[in-house]
Amino acid sequence: MVRILLVIATLLFSIQVALGKPITLLALGDSLTAGLGLEANEAFPVKLEAALQSRYPGLKIINGGVSGDTAADGLARLDWALTDDVGGLIVELGANDALRGLDAAQTETALNAIMVKAQLRNLPVLILGMKAPPNMGPDYVARFDGLYPRLAAKYQALLYPFYLDGVAANASLNQADGIHPNGQGVDVIVSKVIPRVEELIRKAGVK
């Protein structure tokens, strides 16, 4: 009986250690990550961290979003954004590329380079996919939308197919511009993406 109790106590201690293990994720993105038009505590990385704190008290999610950034812009600042404590990467880039009608191959090249840099540092990656506006035409939409699952498969990265799933085109969940989620919209995104983020945390070494 004593032996069983000791085993249980050891297991409980191991769980507590795992839950309290410090883990830092970098959310690299554009205005959708930065929280354009929102209070600082309403931004996606902040709400995501808060939603996961009870289960992962050692979790920190860095808001690496810069409004207006294209995938190439995100790549250009990745090296200094990846501090030594970062153990996993969330990538939300491409929306501005699509809105500007940039060549999808250009976007894919930049995102591919981001994946290579993460791979060289043995960082697990969660890609938050984006979809091109329908008015860009079916050919562009097919080329752009297809690059995210292609990159995820190539680098065995986690994929959340569409960052704005359940929020896009819903006026009650977006700001007046119809593009950027409001606080309620961010809540919807967080609730939907959490399972994938937990997979990322596990791949980063926290069980």
Side-chain angles (χ1 to χ4, degrees), residues 113-194:
I114 288 173
M115 299 301 296
V116 169
K117 286 180 178 290
Q119 191 174 62
L120 289 173
R121 292 187 53 157
N122 295 315
L123 294 177
V125 179
L126 167 60
I127 300 173
L128 302 180
M130 191 52 59
K131 293 186 180 296
N135 62 2
M136 296 302 295
D139 289 343
Y140 183 88
V141 168
R143 284 184 282 114
F144 184 88
D145 292 5
L147 68 89
Y148 294 97
R150 188 160 51 246
L151 285 171
K154 181 178 180 180
Y155 291 99
Q156 298 184 323
L158 297 168
L159 174 66
Y160 182 75
F162 182 34
Y163 177 76
L164 296 174
D165 181 45
V167 174
N170 186 331
S172 67
L173 298 177
N174 283 279
Q175 299 177 46
D177 62 9
I179 297 174
H180 295 91
N182 56 27
Q184 289 180 306
V186 174
D187 288 337
V188 171
I189 294 170
V190 168
S191 68
K192 285 176 168 286
V193 81
I194 273 180

